[in-house]
Each structure stands twice: as C-alpha cells, then as structure tokens.
Amino acid sequence: MISLVVFAVLCICSVEGFLHHGNTNHYTVAATSSTSQLKAFQWPTLPSFDKVQSSSSARTVGERNGLDEEYPWRFEGRFIFRPSLVRITPSSSSPPSASLLSLFGYSLGGSVVLEYDVSPVGPYREYVTMGGVVGLGQVSVGETNKRLLGVGQWGTDLYVSTQVAEDVCKQVWGVPAQVANIDFEEDGSVIQDGPDSEVVGRSGVTKKNFKLSGWDNARVLSSEELQQQTKRFGNIPIFWTPTIKALWAPISLPNFSNKVTQEELLPVHKLRLSASALRLKQCKRIGQSEGEIPIGLTLVVDNVLIEIGEQVNSGSL
C-alpha cells in the first residue's frame, strides 16, 4: 500500500476540488492547497464538446492540437490505474538507462487503461501493462547535458486500438506501441479487467485482446456535466520518457555518471495533467499474470487533459 500512496502522490499532489458524484463502491480522494497556490494555477481554455472530432483516417500523424504553445499535443478523456503488486526476480526484465525498484521482492505494477475522446489522431483506446517502480532514469537534455530523474513508473507494453495511433506513437514520440483489440463493456457493478487473450490472424500475426467490463463506472461525470465544460484542476507537471514508457515525478538531479553513453540516454518530454474528477473504486482482475497480486481497487480519473511538450533538447529540467 505504501507504493500505491507513492503513485497517488505522483499523480494527484496539489489537486483540489474534485467533484463528488453520487455512486456506490467508491471513495472520494482530494488534496487541499492554499489560496495562493490556486491563484498561481493557469487553467487551460477548454474546447467545445459540441464539436465532434474528425475520424482517425482524416488525421495526419503528428498533428498538433494543443491549447498551449509549450504543449503542442493534447489528449482528453478518462483513464483508470489498476495497481497490483508484481514479483521481481533476478530474471525479471528491466528498462534500459533506469533501475527497477522493489521491496521484499515486489514492486508496484498493474495496468493503465485510457479512453481518449480527443487526441492528435482522433478517438482511440490504450492499454498499458505496468512493470514496476523505477528510479535514477538517465536522460538527455541536450548534446552535453544530462540529468537523473528520481522516481517513476515504467510500462512494459503499450497497446492501442487503431493503426494510426500506433503510427503516431512510434513516429512522433518513439513509443514502441502495438495494435490490439481493446473491448469495453459498459454494464457491470464494478470495473473488471480481463480476461486477456490472444488471436492469430490470417497472416499468422498474434494479436492481443483486452476486455474491460463495467466501464460505465469510469464515467464519473455525466454527459450534461461534460457539455457544461466542467472545470479541470491540477496542471500537474510530470516528466515522460516515451522510449521506455515511463512517467516520472518532476524532480531531476545532476548526473555525473559515465556508465551510460550519450546515445543511451533517454529522451525526455514535459507533460501536464489536469482533470475534473477522481475516485477510488472497487475493481476485479480476471486472469492475472504469474507473480501478480491485484490490490482490488482502481484509481478512476475523468475529464482528464494530458498535454505533451516537445522533447527537451536544451537547458535543464
């Protein structure tokens, strides 16, 4: 549970005023901040929900749809984080240029499932398997400057529901994404992740199938509240190293190590996260992987705005 608290702090510190919406099997989470901190926030201008985004096929890979010049790409929708304890052994894979952290042989993994209503390539779904907590990420912020990132969470595999989403992930940010079937069923008293499966296509290529039931529980806000452009809170800064699919707390340190070459340093982007509603809800995991211990809860975030900046190539983080 300590690891869960660490992750929650990474994601929601300084967030205030998340709306309470009547529902069962959930717990409301909110952190307070001072009036002076709130005055320092700069809320982004929200797009009209009356304007339906064009289809993926009409989108250009890498199209910039941001609301802020510093963050040229934006994603809107909702996501869940379903934490699990995952067993770490000497044979466990680990990300390059970062250290996989564990306590008593376990780290914090699980899955993150996202439903994007707005993105640079139109609506799509995303499923990320989380490998564990990582530290000491070695990143490049220019030809001669390098930094260390403190602590973050690493995704082992990232799956998307459309081909154009895979293209933009690979071509624009260098994310090793894969196309998969990601099916949502709205009905269900609680969110259920799984069972996962695989199917072999006519070409002989194996394709993953992910099933989420009770997805209506991830819709904290009603359609009427969304149409009213409910205010988002947060503007939380996060570091992102896309090539290893890791999100980091916004803390960087000097890097005096010579063990990693310039070519091995990770590219890093700045992200900004805002949302209107956040809940802890009951969640079931069906068909967990070997060594996985589901916690039984999921963090639900609705009306989220994820903004991505350019790769940091100069200065310091």
Side-chain angles (χ1 to χ4, degrees), residues 185-207:
E185 290 185 3
E186 297 291 327
D187 296 338
S189 58
V190 298
I191 296 174
Q192 179 175 294
D193 183 358
D196 306 335
S197 61
E198 294 182 347
V199 61
V200 179
R202 294 181 179 178
S203 60
V205 176
T206 300
K207 193 173 185 179

Side-chain angles (χ1 to χ4, degrees), residues 72-84:
W73 299 283
R74 86 178 192 274
F75 297 76
E76 299 180 24
R78 62 205 52 81
F79 72 84
I80 67 168
F81 167 56
R82 181 194 59 76
S84 288

Side-chain angles (χ1 to χ4, degrees), residues 278-290:
L278 180 151
R279 303 286 186 271
L280 279 177
K281 294 193 176 186
Q282 183 181 354
C283 181
K284 296 179 180 179
R285 171 61 171 158
I286 307 299
Q288 60 261 31
S289 59
E290 183 179 355

Side-chain angles (χ1 to χ4, degrees), residues 290-311:
E290 183 179 355
E292 179 185 5
I293 304 176
I295 292 176
L297 295 173
T298 186
L299 180 68
V300 177
V301 183
D302 199 5
N303 197 29
V304 68
L305 171 64
I306 302 172
E307 299 173 281
I308 301 178
E310 297 274 12
Q311 180 180 335

Side-chain angles (χ1 to χ4, degrees), residues 4-5 64-65 80 82 86 208 217 275 280 282 299:
L4 176 59
V5 172
R64 294 166 179 253
N65 66 337
I80 67 168
R82 181 194 59 76
V86 292
K208 284 276 191 178
N217 294 281
L280 279 177
Q282 183 181 354
L299 180 68

